[in-house]
Amino acid sequence: MKVLSFCPSSAVSSSLTGWIIFFITFHIHKLESAKFRVTGPGHPVTARMGEAIVLPCHLSPRISAVNMEVRWFRSEFTSVVHQYYEGKEQYGKQMTDYHGRTELLKAGIMDGNVSLQILNIRPSDEGQYNCFVQDGPFYEEALLELKVAGLGSAPLLSVEGHQDGGIRVVCRSAGWYPEPEVLWRDLSGRHLPSLSETTSQGDNSLFETETAIIVTEHSNQNLSCCIRNTVLNQEKESAVYVADPFFPRVNPWMVALSVTLVVLFGFIGLTIYLFKMKEKRDNEIRWRRSVAPIEEANVTLDPDTAHPRLVLSEDRKSVRWGDTRQDLPDKPERFDSRACVLGCEGFTAGRHCWEVEVVSGRGWAVGVARESVRRKGWISLSPEEGIWAVERCEGRCRALTSPETPLPWYRAPSRIRVCLDCDRGQVTFIDAGDEAPIFTFPPGSVPGERIRPWLWVGRGSRLRLRP
């Protein structure tokens, strides 16, 4: 019969092995849940139109992001460019403009590389992007800027007749982004002053330019038109030589006749100009009388409607974008996707006016909304949704019509006066700094129901209602 004996050394060895396994498992779990930083390039990323670009972003230390959520978004958290979680791509919340154009470069995701590739770059892709990574309750994000650039067509030069004793030469080109720099040069490379220059932006956001110069006989007959993209620091150039036979031979009687006609037409033009200026001034006076508010409304902000990202001042006259999302009750009247807030006051009749000051930031919108405007889910900032406003976002200013109306603000106003005429169903926006009209929604645009002041506040912005 065999007798089983107990060996103390064997038990100690088994216990030690168990502790080592526990320590390693605990240490790995601790590393996996360790905090990290999200880093991107410290400079803008430049992309060519029509090509692909990679927006670099990675974790530091370079730990695996396979089981984390990675979200790329624009100005708001819900403006999703690309989303990855639960180990796969998620396209349910992706903005329409990016459908089929984005890809997370998962080859390096084990090493914390969460860079995003965007295909077929467009001008509308330009702006700021947020690289957001979340692991359980912990999250970090990095901000990147994308600049878009495109080279247009080679300059097309054409000789278009006589003018001011010389030859008028016109240079045209299209398909540039952003707005290009246009230069005339002589044979030695010296810059020549242009007679005129016009630049316009088409529906595709690309710029086309036209510039003209007067070439005189025996002076700058060899010249070139150069169009430069200042972002890419690249240019396209075309040259022309204007031969002597093109220049007119001057007749003294023709000169006298030309001077007489110039004086005559100048007098007629001045008369027409003065008449139109008087008519414009009279129209402006009538316009001011028609929109002159009867009541200066003392508007305050309604905290029950404010998006959790928005922080209101104690007097409810100021609102700013908060650093974190606040834990607020999810009331039916609270906006939950767009960073909006309504005024406490509502208007159903009469004329009312109030002033909004832009304290800081480049992303904001100011206007009015019907009281029944939808608060939950993604809403369109448009009259169809019940919002009438003007907006500045990503360097562009526009009226939120449907479709949007670009506004030619060379500088965004720092104070906007909102004038609501309930009886006419009309809202007007005025630059409170110089009293210049900004935009007017036509009569009948605003429905006959209770209307409230409305604000949208973008990342890093702050607005204040002036007393």
Side-chain angles (χ1 to χ4, degrees), residues 155-463:
L156 177 63
L157 296 173
S158 58
V159 177
E160 299 192 353
H162 301 147
Q163 184 174 337
D164 300 336
I167 299 296
R168 175 184 172 90
V169 180
V170 179
C171 172
R172 298 181 178 91
S173 182
W176 295 83
Y177 191 87
E179 182 175 348
E181 182 183 62
V182 183
L183 298 172
W184 288 99
R185 295 172 178 162
D186 62 12
L187 192 60
S188 63
R190 183 169 55 94
H191 292 175
L192 304 173
S194 61
L195 175 68
S196 63
E197 183 177 323
T198 58
T199 304
S200 59
Q201 192 172 16
D203 295 337
N204 57 1
S205 299
L206 302 183
F207 288 88
E208 59 181 54
T209 182
E210 177 179 312
T211 181
I213 192 172
I214 300 299
V215 181
T216 55
E217 191 172 12
H218 309 307
S219 173
N220 303 325
Q221 291 177 235
N222 275 299
L223 75 158
S224 66
C225 175
C226 172
I227 304 182
R228 173 186 292 273
N229 185 304
T230 55
V231 175
L232 298 175
N233 197 26
Q234 296 182 24
E235 62 186 37
K236 292 189 176 182
E237 187 172 14
S238 297
V240 67
Y241 172 73
V242 182
D244 291 342
F246 280 96
F247 293 94
R249 299 296 174 253
V250 179
N251 186 316
W253 288 104
M254 291 299 295
V255 173
L257 178 61
S258 298
V259 171
T260 303
L261 291 175
V262 167
V263 173
L264 178 61
F265 283 113
F267 177 76
I268 295 174
L270 179 62
T271 303
I272 294 174
Y273 172 77
L274 293 176
F275 176 78
K276 286 187 174 293
M277 287 297 293
K278 181 178 184 302
E279 184 180 18
K280 180 179 179 182
R281 186 170 61 253
D282 293 342
N283 289 338
E284 185 173 345
I285 292 173
R286 286 195 296 270
W287 174 83
R288 290 182 183 279
R289 288 173 179 172
S290 69
V291 300
I294 294 177
E295 177 187 346
E296 288 283 345
N298 184 18
V299 175
T300 55
L301 300 175
D302 184 353
D304 291 337
T305 67
H307 184 276
R309 268 285 187 178
L310 299 184
V311 180
L312 273 59
S313 60
E314 290 187 6
D315 61 359
R316 300 180 182 177
K317 285 283 191 178
S318 178
V319 58
R320 64 176 175 85
W321 175 275
D323 296 330
T324 58
R325 187 183 179 96
Q326 303 172 86
D327 185 13
L328 299 175
D330 186 19
K331 299 182 178 182
E333 59 267 34
R334 188 181 305 283
F335 291 95
D336 67 355
S337 64
R338 291 279 198 172
C340 305
V341 61
L342 293 176
C344 292
E345 295 71 24
F347 310 103
T348 57
R351 293 174 181 170
H352 309 272
C353 185
W354 59 93
E355 189 173 305
V356 181
E357 179 182 5
V358 180
V359 180
S360 61
R362 297 182 177 180
W364 49 262
V366 173
V368 299
R370 60 188 178 196
E371 191 166 54
S372 60
V373 66
R374 189 157 53 93
R375 319 292 172 83
K376 304 301 181 184
W378 186 254
I379 60 174
S380 169
L381 305 186
S382 65
E384 287 77 12
E385 193 73 60
I387 296 171
W388 297 264
V390 292
E391 175 193 66
R392 175 179 171 82
C393 185
E394 298 182 358
R396 295 184 178 92
C397 300
R398 51 202 166 218
L400 298 180
T401 53
S402 184
E404 296 172 345
T405 302
L407 296 177
W409 295 347
Y410 296 102
R411 57 172 181 81
S414 59
R415 290 186 294 130
I416 302 99
R417 182 179 294 273
V418 184
C419 298
L420 172 64
D421 189 334
C422 296
D423 300 330
R424 300 184 66 193
Q426 177 176 312
V427 60
T428 298
F429 300 90
I430 302 171
D431 186 338
D434 57 12
E435 295 298 321
I438 296 173
F439 186 79
T440 298
F441 285 86
S445 299
V446 183
E449 63 177 272
R450 187 176 177 84
I451 301 298
R452 296 170 67 175
W454 172 91
L455 300 175
W456 170 78
V457 183
R459 180 181 294 270
S461 296
R462 181 185 173 198
L463 302 178

Side-chain angles (χ1 to χ4, degrees), residues 84-127:
Y84 166 93
Y85 72 96
E86 296 181 349
K88 59 183 179 180
E89 319 286 345
Q90 306 287 341
Y91 297 102
K93 299 180 181 179
Q94 187 181 43
M95 290 191 291
T96 306
D97 287 350
Y98 293 93
H99 283 180
R101 298 175 53 226
T102 61
E103 179 186 3
L104 195 68
L105 302 183
K106 295 188 289 297
I109 198 169
M110 292 287 293
D111 298 321
N113 188 344
V114 291
S115 300
L116 179 71
Q117 179 174 255
I118 304 178
L119 306 176
N120 190 22
I121 289 294
R122 309 166 181 172
S124 59
D125 295 332
E126 187 170 71

Side-chain angles (χ1 to χ4, degrees), residues 3-7:
V3 179
L4 296 176
S5 62
F6 175 74
C7 181

